[in-house]
Amino acid sequence: MKLTQMWLHQLEMPLVAPFTTSFGTSQTKHTYVVELRAETSAGPVTGWGECVAMEAPLYSAEYLHGAAEVTRRWIAPALFDQPHLSAESVAHHLDHLIGHPMAKAAVEMAVLDAQLRAAQTSFADYLGVTASTVPSGVSVGIHDDVPSLLRAVGGYVEAGYARIKLKIKPGADTEPVAAVRAEFGDELPFQVDANAAYTLVDANHLQRLDEHNLLLIEQPLGEDDLRQHAELASLMRTPMCLDESIHSVKAAADAIALRAASVVNIKPGRVGGYLQARAIHDVCRAHGLAVWCGGMLETGIGRAANAALAGLPGFTLTGDISGADRFYAEDIVTEPMRMHDGVVDVPTGPGFGVEVDRDLLARFTTDVLTLTPEHT
Ligand code: OSB
Ligand code: MG
């Protein structure tokens, strides 16, 4: 295909409730949605992607305005230059640009959607996914007090979610974890996520989580603490899972070689796109590590793509792919993802299988950046 135009729709979407992690509280989802138009052998097509970078560099080094800027100045021009662009060649054309996986992923995602729509192929078929549903887990933020946490978890358990993940931080860890176990019993599939809030000095304290029979502990230490995660993993019974540390296929290979983790959270945005995400799935599966699909409060576009990815056979643990209503009263797609019976459906339509609702998109849009071959 040949790219002809690209738009970055900057959005602010209110959350149904504040979401607190060890690095902060959000009330609003900030993102940009990539819309691109391309000429293909099947005629002109439109593709959609979204950027998972957060407003501030608290989860990862990238931040939303930086991602838009690097897209405007370097990513878009490099792709507008290509006479024969394909989703599979995007990473190659952007390889000379160091870092910025989330910015690259958003654009690759839109190219992939356009390519699949032109071929009338679903993302699931492209991946070779035959599952029609995937289990649906929910990420629960840090709460100010245990009763409100138990009410929130109770609501999700009642709704039928297949797995609960609880955010933790120093001072909000063993007590809320013990309270959830006591209230909902040993059968509840239950895991925790520290978002890099601890250091190896906390090893003795973190060992106290072992008694709660957790599925895993996600990213207790820093992004570049692979060796220290390996040491902590050897001191804990709870399986070690990495999120922030796995920003590339190489990082996944290093984590495996160092025995830093036995489980990997795969977030397509964090690793530079859905094709890198699949490669990490393949490497982990070949080495006997379990993977699951993480989330970044995606809109309906990313949520649909994640549901298809999570249908690959190595995704043996339940992902953070909740119904859209876990975060949003209104999504930007015509058919927001619904959790039912503990699962979400793998979309079957062309591309990612969702249609953006222009009215809803406009409602949440604060600005639009138009990129063309001439103006970049
Ligand atoms: O660490 O998994 C994380 C959201 C924002 C940033 C980091 C994380 C998360 C979540 C939410 O846990 C997962 C979801 O989208 O449901
Ligand atoms: Mg995480």
Side-chain angles (χ1 to χ4, degrees), residues 14 43 88 156 245 247:
E88 296 79 7
Y156 297 128
S245 294
H247 46 76

Side-chain angles (χ1 to χ4, degrees), residues 19 21 23 26 29 52 54 59-60 102 137-141 163 165 167 193-196 218-219 243-244 265 267 270 292-298 303 306 319-323 326-328:
F19 183 61
T21 66
F23 58 80
S26 353
K29 160 81 170 177
V52 302
M54 301 185 80
Y59 164 78
S60 66
M102 293 174 175
V138 61
S139 176
V140 182
R163 184 224 68 199
K165 159 170 140 181
K167 294 290 190 179
D193 184 1
N195 285 112
E218 182 179 349
Q219 197 75 34
D243 173 355
E244 284 88 330
N265 165 339
K267 287 182 186 166
R270 192 193 64 226
W292 53 281
C293 184
M296 291 292 288
L297 288 75
E298 281 87 348
R303 217 164 274 279
N306 287 350
D320 282 341
I321 312 173
S322 49
R326 186 262 172 263
F327 289 115
Y328 305 108

Side-chain angles (χ1 to χ4, degrees), residues 290-363:
V291 305
W292 53 281
C293 184
M296 291 292 288
L297 288 75
E298 281 87 348
T299 74
I301 305 168
R303 217 164 274 279
N306 287 350
L309 181 74
L312 286 171
F315 285 81
T316 53
L317 295 172
T318 300
D320 282 341
I321 312 173
S322 49
D325 62 359
R326 186 262 172 263
F327 289 115
Y328 305 108
E330 284 179 308
D331 201 341
I332 57 168
V333 295
T334 55
E335 288 183 44
M337 182 155 283
R338 267 190 343 101
M339 186 280 290
H340 63 90
D341 310 307
V343 301
V344 292
D345 295 338
V346 174
T348 55
F352 300 126
V354 285
E355 301 306 324
V356 171
D357 180 317
R358 294 272 177 189
D359 292 334
L360 287 167
L361 185 71
R363 181 168 321 165

Side-chain angles (χ1 to χ4, degrees), residues 72-367:
R72 181 181 75 81
R73 291 183 66 181
W74 294 289
I75 293 176
L79 301 183
F80 280 130
D81 266 355
Q82 305 308 321
H84 303 293
L85 187 66
S86 64
E88 296 79 7
S89 67
V90 169
H92 166 78
H93 294 305
L94 302 180
D95 197 43
H96 63 293
L97 301 171
I98 296 167
H100 300 283
M102 293 174 175
K104 292 172 177 175
V107 175
E108 185 197 80
M109 188 179 177
V111 173
L112 180 57
D113 186 46
Q115 177 172 312
L116 295 174
R117 283 170 187 269
Q120 288 290 306
T121 302
S122 70
F123 184 39
D125 281 346
Y126 173 83
L127 291 171
V129 162
T130 54
S132 56
T133 62
V134 293
S136 173
V138 61
S139 176
V140 182
I142 295 167
H143 282 65
D144 288 339
D145 55 274
V146 166
S148 73
L149 169 64
L150 296 181
R151 274 196 302 279
V153 172
Y156 297 128
V157 168
E158 186 75 13
Y161 276 103
R163 184 224 68 199
I164 300 290
K165 159 170 140 181
L166 178 62
K167 294 290 190 179
I168 59 168
K169 67 175 181 182
D173 46 28
T174 48
E175 188 194 351
V177 167
V180 169
R181 261 289 173 248
E183 180 78 11
F184 300 100
D186 252 350
E187 298 305 304
L188 178 76
F190 184 32
Q191 63 193 53
V192 293
D193 184 1
N195 285 112
Y198 297 88
T199 73
L200 200 48
V201 171
D202 302 310
N204 285 333
H205 178 71
L206 290 169
Q207 280 173 331
R208 294 175 53 198
L209 292 171
D210 280 342
E211 70 187 77
H212 299 294
N213 194 22
L214 299 171
L215 290 167
L216 56 87
I217 178 169
E218 182 179 349
Q219 197 75 34
L221 311 179
E223 175 177 321
D224 56 3
D225 286 342
L226 273 190
R227 185 189 54 77
Q228 297 191 33
H229 274 106
E231 201 165 326
L232 182 59
S234 76
L235 297 171
M236 292 185 73
R237 264 201 329 273
T238 307
M240 190 61 60
C241 172
L242 290 173
D243 173 355
E244 284 88 330
S245 294
I246 309 299
H247 46 76
S248 65
V249 185
K250 283 186 194 176
D254 284 352
I256 294 167
L258 282 167
R259 300 185 184 282
S262 52
V263 181
V264 171
N265 165 339
I266 299 182
K267 287 182 186 166
R270 192 193 64 226
V271 304
Y274 283 86
L275 304 183
Q276 296 295 300
R278 177 178 55 183
I280 293 176
H281 158 273
D282 294 347
V283 169
C284 288
R285 183 165 155 80
H287 283 84
L289 274 75
V291 305
W292 53 281
C293 184
M296 291 292 288
L297 288 75
E298 281 87 348
T299 74
I301 305 168
R303 217 164 274 279
N306 287 350
L309 181 74
L312 286 171
F315 285 81
T316 53
L317 295 172
T318 300
D320 282 341
I321 312 173
S322 49
D325 62 359
R326 186 262 172 263
F327 289 115
Y328 305 108
E330 284 179 308
D331 201 341
I332 57 168
V333 295
T334 55
E335 288 183 44
M337 182 155 283
R338 267 190 343 101
M339 186 280 290
H340 63 90
D341 310 307
V343 301
V344 292
D345 295 338
V346 174
T348 55
F352 300 126
V354 285
E355 301 306 324
V356 171
D357 180 317
R358 294 272 177 189
D359 292 334
L360 287 167
L361 185 71
R363 181 168 321 165
F364 301 120
T365 299
T366 56
D367 202 6

